[in-house]
Amino acid sequence: MLAAVLVLVLVAVGLVVARPGPVGRWLGDGSAGPASTGVPEPVPVAVLATADVGAPMPSAEGLRAVLDPLVGDAALGGRVNLAVADVLTGQSLFERGGGEGTVPASVTKLLTAVAVLTARGPGYRIPTRAVAGSEPGEVVIVGGGDPALAAGAKGFYPGAASLKDLANQVRTALGGIAPTRVVVDASLYPGPVHEPGWDEDIPTHGYGAAVTALMLDGARKDPKAGQGWAERVPQPELTAGRAFARLLGVPETAVRRGTAPAAPTGTPAGTVEPGAELGVVHSPPLIRLVDIMISESDNIVAEALARQVALARDQPASFAGAAAAMTDVLSELGLPTDGMRLADGSGLSRTNLVSPVLLTELLALAASPDRPELGGVFSGLPVGGWSGTLRDRYGSAPGTAAGVGTVRAKTGTLTRVHAIAGVVTTTEGRLLAFAVLTDQVPPDGGEPARVALDRIAAALATCGCH
């Protein structure tokens, strides 16, 4: 619900202009229509600063005068690359190392969002199927890559598909045949379950997990766990299979891995042939999963969405296949992918390289009326001092107060890596896209680096900068 409200917040931001698409909605264009989230729009709350299509753009000289002293902060380390662009026109306004590939950490999720919304579309829902096995009473649950799937009506993710619903469908389809065994088919993802470039502690430290085609609640052990850190199960597909077995009245000892039989060419009425579909449930629409991924920086959802790009492009649903498919999609969109290197969809890998200019051009493209399906990228962007991963940032540290309610951005953090990319409304009302990436932060310099990044974004909010 919070993410839906954030979309509506953008509707409240000001001047009437005759421009369709997401930017039109931000600027108060009544002809643009509601955001395509499928969620009814309540009365918007004015949180973000008013944008003005007629406001002057900052100059390169003005931006340099404001940003150079902040970029030189020792807390950011020896390599700080940044880019600033005008959202309305897409014009580049300022760069410093803007074309250099830099470790992006979770800012990678912006690329994943644009790629999956392009390849699959905002309304696509990921299926989880049950089919008849090769023996009477054998039920095969076939993972389709839905990371939000829940065991019952209330899982970790709002609006998630339910194994309970799937089990009810199976019992109806089987008629008088009692389920006797559950086969878990997670073969859609060929592996590995962990990306080789991840730090050694990521699979077990609560922000990552084994990436499998069948899982419950993002592989969380407890679906009631809060956002962020959570203990994950080591074999998500088997955990889901055992939960499904319990719902069917099958003992957990009768759960095994396997693959589904091929679908029959024709099934006579009243019979259940091997491979016949017994039931199917679907994830929330991708626009909702994108929103969750960005607002809470959900790594498991990110990896699932990256694999949807691979599947849409007939690539293996693996880390490598997803990276290749995402690269193809971003290149086809005309984005500057030279020097880009992707290894995963979450940004947990240190082998990812992304340039600030790629990020600012991506944000400008997502705001374009020519690509309305990409506008969902903005719905989950946290607001400075108010929501998501920025809820506790801006305002408390000196030099950051101007970012409260004016900065919407995705952050990225690994040891010695800190990044931020998003949009900011200047004091004169111009909407800017910005990206700042740094991957040589001094050891144990996390909090000072975050504050230094926040000062840069807050300084853009004070422009001017002529």
Side-chain angles (χ1 to χ4, degrees):
M1 186 61 187
L2 173 61
V5 173
L6 294 184
V7 177
L8 302 167
V9 167
L10 289 176
V11 180
V13 298
L15 187 72
V16 175
V17 295
R19 178 162 186 174
V23 169
R25 289 195 293 273
W26 295 345
L27 299 176
D29 181 6
S31 67
S36 58
T37 61
V39 179
E41 297 194 15
V43 177
V45 179
V47 173
L48 297 182
T50 301
D52 181 354
V53 68
M57 285 189 288
S59 68
E61 294 76 14
L63 287 169
R64 181 176 293 106
V66 169
L67 297 178
D68 274 356
L70 299 174
V71 172
D73 191 325
L76 293 174
R79 194 160 85 118
V80 186
N81 297 323
L82 66 88
V84 181
D86 179 57
V87 170
L88 196 63
T89 65
Q91 179 181 337
S92 174
L93 300 178
F94 181 74
E95 295 179 31
R96 173 173 161 164
E100 293 186 22
T102 316
V103 181
S106 280
V107 169
T108 305
K109 294 181 175 72
L110 293 176
L111 279 64
T112 303
V114 165
V116 76
L117 290 173
T118 300
R120 281 295 202 202
Y124 183 81
R125 295 172 181 262
I126 304 169
T128 302
R129 300 166 50 240
V131 304
S134 56
E135 302 292 336
E138 186 176 79
V139 178
V140 184
I141 181 169
V142 184
D146 178 6
L149 185 66
K154 291 186 178 180
F156 179 82
Y157 299 99
S162 166
L163 283 185
K164 184 177 181 181
D165 183 15
L166 186 61
N168 289 338
Q169 293 179 46
V170 168
R171 278 193 289 267
T172 299
L174 288 177
I177 302 174
T180 58
R181 175 186 292 172
V182 168
V183 176
V184 174
D185 184 348
S187 61
L188 185 66
Y189 291 4
V193 297
H194 304 128
E195 205 284 313
W198 287 1
D199 290 349
E200 290 183 0
D201 63 339
I202 283 176
T204 58
H205 82 336
Y207 290 97
V211 181
T212 57
L214 181 65
M215 61 173 57
L216 299 178
D217 305 301
R220 288 168 176 82
K221 186 174 183 179
D222 180 4
K224 296 181 181 179
Q227 294 287 356
W229 184 93
E231 186 177 357
R232 313 286 170 149
V233 297
Q235 297 176 313
E237 72 284 11
L238 287 180
T239 297
R242 290 170 186 138
F244 190 51
R246 289 193 294 271
L247 290 166
L248 290 173
V250 174
E252 293 186 13
T253 54
V255 176
R256 64 176 179 84
R257 291 188 176 93
T259 55
T265 55
T267 303
T271 64
V272 178
E273 292 190 14
E277 185 172 283
L278 304 176
V280 60
V281 293
H282 293 88
S283 74
L286 289 192
I287 186 66
R288 177 58 181 143
L289 295 179
V290 165
D291 182 80
I292 291 168
M293 171 185 68
I294 293 177
S295 63
E296 297 299 336
S297 202
D298 193 309
N299 295 311
I300 306 308
V301 171
E303 297 303 343
L305 294 180
R307 279 157 180 74
Q308 289 302 312
V309 182
L311 293 169
R313 290 306 182 94
D314 296 321
Q315 294 272 10
S318 61
F319 285 104
M326 285 174 57
T327 299
D328 288 345
V329 170
L330 296 172
S331 298
E332 291 165 12
L333 288 172
L335 294 168
T337 57
D338 290 346
M340 182 186 76
R341 184 169 68 203
L342 294 179
D344 65 17
S346 63
L348 289 173
S349 177
R350 292 181 180 273
T351 60
N352 291 323
L353 291 175
V354 174
S355 73
V357 164
L358 170 57
L359 291 164
T360 55
E361 290 199 18
L362 177 144
L363 289 164
L365 177 67
S368 167
D370 298 328
R371 305 299 308 220
E373 74 279 9
L374 302 183
V377 168
F378 298 97
S379 65
L381 278 180
V383 178
W386 191 62
S387 65
T389 54
L390 292 184
R391 64 173 64 90
D392 298 322
R393 290 171 61 163
Y394 294 95
S396 58
T400 65
V404 175
T406 64
V407 172
R408 290 183 65 92
K410 181 72 197 76
T411 59
T413 305
L414 294 169
T415 304
R416 303 199 67 182
V417 174
H418 291 270
I420 188 168
V423 294
V424 58
T425 307
T426 72
T427 191
E428 294 181 332
R430 198 76 189 185
L431 193 63
L432 306 179
F434 71 96
V436 190
L437 308 179
T438 177
D439 56 11
Q440 295 180 6
V441 171
D444 303 321
E447 183 59 25
R450 283 190 289 273
V451 171
L453 288 178
D454 291 346
R455 288 193 181 111
I456 292 172
L460 289 172
T462 67
C463 287
C465 302
H466 301 306

